[in-house]
């Protein structure tokens, strides 16, 4: 069940008020995470441009960040869509920013890369599993899905909000594997200047199989 609009609006307003320094650090954080995952999985994009879909964005300033991060990491042109339950905070619906329930089949598949960053805590356990399954189904052959988690989502540290949902990566991976979806996790420290964004767990799904 989607979160109330009032709750999401308050969340979006909080992120819109973050400083440029915060946004700069988020780019550094995301860049280090994406580069680590691509190295660990030995991922090589086949398309030109490479089709990337991002699930959920709290602030429209992150959209060009995602563009730069994937363009630089892949060293290829990319064709990126952002899917969100609400796109008003992103400037409204467009060809690149699409209002969509991500527990349902994604529009315009297949994609080389599916990416989410701290999205899962906005979803119930059932919605988390459904979204992971849809992200796998949306992948092209040899495609890669990376779903990024930090300590608040997993361990409920002080940054975790009462209206958010805890995320159990091991249990989700177990359920995915039981449904014949190759899933694993990568654990490492990002290069973030913010303490709670350092310890990083990424749920990885690959059409080509396990890492």
């Amino acid at each position: 069940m989607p979160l109330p609009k009032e709750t999401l609006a308050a969340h979006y307003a909080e992120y819109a008020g973050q400083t440029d320094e915060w946004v700069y650090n988020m780019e550094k954080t995301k860049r280090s995470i994406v580069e680590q995952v691509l190295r660990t999985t030995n991922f090589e994009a086949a398309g030109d441009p490479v089709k990337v879909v991002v699930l959920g964005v709290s602030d429209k300033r992150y959209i060009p960040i995602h563009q730069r991060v994937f363009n630089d990491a892949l060293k290829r042109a990319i064709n990126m869509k952002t899917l969100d339950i609400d796109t008003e905070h992103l400037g409204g619906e467009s060809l690149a920013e699409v209002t969509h329930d991500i527990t349902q089949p994604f529009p315009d598949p297949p994609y080389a890369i599916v990416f989410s960053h701290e999205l899962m805590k906005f979803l119930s356990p059932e919605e988390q599993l459904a979204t992971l399954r849809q992200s796998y189904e949306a992948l092209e052959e040899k495609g890669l899905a990376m779903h990024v988690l930090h300590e608040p989502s997993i361990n409920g540290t002080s940054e975790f909000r009462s209206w958010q949902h805890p995320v159990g990566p091991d249990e989700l991976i177990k359920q995915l594997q039981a449904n014949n979806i190759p899933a694993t996790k990568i654990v490492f420290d990002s290069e973030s200047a913010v303490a709670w964004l350092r310890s990083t767990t990424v749920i990885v799904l690959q059409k080509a199989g396990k890492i």
Side-chain angles (χ1 to χ4, degrees):
M1 181 177 178
L3 290 167
K5 282 194 172 185
E6 296 80 6
T7 301
L8 288 174
H11 170 75
Y12 298 147
E14 178 186 353
Y15 270 72
Q18 294 283 13
T19 65
D20 288 342
E21 181 182 5
W22 169 270
V23 175
Y24 172 81
N25 176 67
M26 287 302 295
E27 178 161 3
K28 179 181 177 182
T29 303
K30 291 172 183 287
R31 187 178 298 276
S32 69
I33 291 169
V34 168
E35 289 176 351
Q36 179 67 46
V37 173
L38 294 180
R39 280 196 303 271
T40 302
T41 58
N42 296 311
F43 177 78
E44 293 186 14
D48 189 14
V50 180
K51 285 183 67 179
V52 177
V53 63
V54 176
L55 310 182
V57 175
S58 295
D59 187 334
K60 63 184 179 182
R61 290 176 291 179
Y62 293 163
I63 293 175
I65 286 175
H66 292 147
Q67 289 273 6
R68 289 193 296 271
V69 165
F70 283 104
N71 184 271
D72 294 347
L74 297 168
K75 297 179 173 56
R76 305 277 287 278
I78 66 166
N79 178 2
M80 191 182 84
K81 282 189 188 301
T82 299
L83 308 182
D84 207 309
I85 196 69
D86 176 9
T87 54
E88 283 187 29
H89 65 295
L90 304 179
E93 182 95 10
S94 70
L95 291 176
E97 287 79 48
V98 179
T99 304
H100 184 71
D101 176 356
I102 53 176
T103 66
Q104 301 300 312
F106 298 172
D108 195 30
Y111 294 94
I113 293 177
V114 177
F115 176 79
S116 76
H117 191 176
E118 280 289 271
L119 164 75
M120 292 294 148
K121 65 188 179 186
F122 293 90
L123 307 173
S124 70
E126 296 77 15
E127 291 168 333
Q128 292 169 14
L129 183 61
T131 297
L132 291 169
R133 294 184 69 170
Q134 293 298 347
S135 73
Y136 179 76
E137 294 300 327
L139 291 174
E140 66 185 24
E141 184 179 357
K142 298 185 178 180
L144 171 70
M146 57 178 95
H147 298 279
V148 182
L149 310 169
H150 296 293
E151 285 296 290
S153 292
I154 300 171
N155 295 323
T157 53
S158 60
E159 297 80 13
F160 190 78
R161 306 300 172 82
S162 61
W163 50 268
Q164 294 174 337
H165 299 275
V167 185
D170 293 334
E171 179 59 28
L172 287 168
I173 288 170
K174 181 180 178 181
Q175 292 181 65
L176 290 165
Q177 291 175 342
N179 285 278
N180 298 314
I181 296 177
T184 189
K185 70 178 181 181
I186 304 171
V187 180
F188 58 93
D189 286 343
S190 75
E191 297 175 9
S192 182
V194 177
W196 67 266
L197 290 168
R198 289 195 199 110
S199 181
T200 301
T201 297
V202 184
I203 298 176
V204 174
L205 315 176
Q206 286 185 289
K207 274 286 176 77
K210 294 182 182 179
I211 295 174

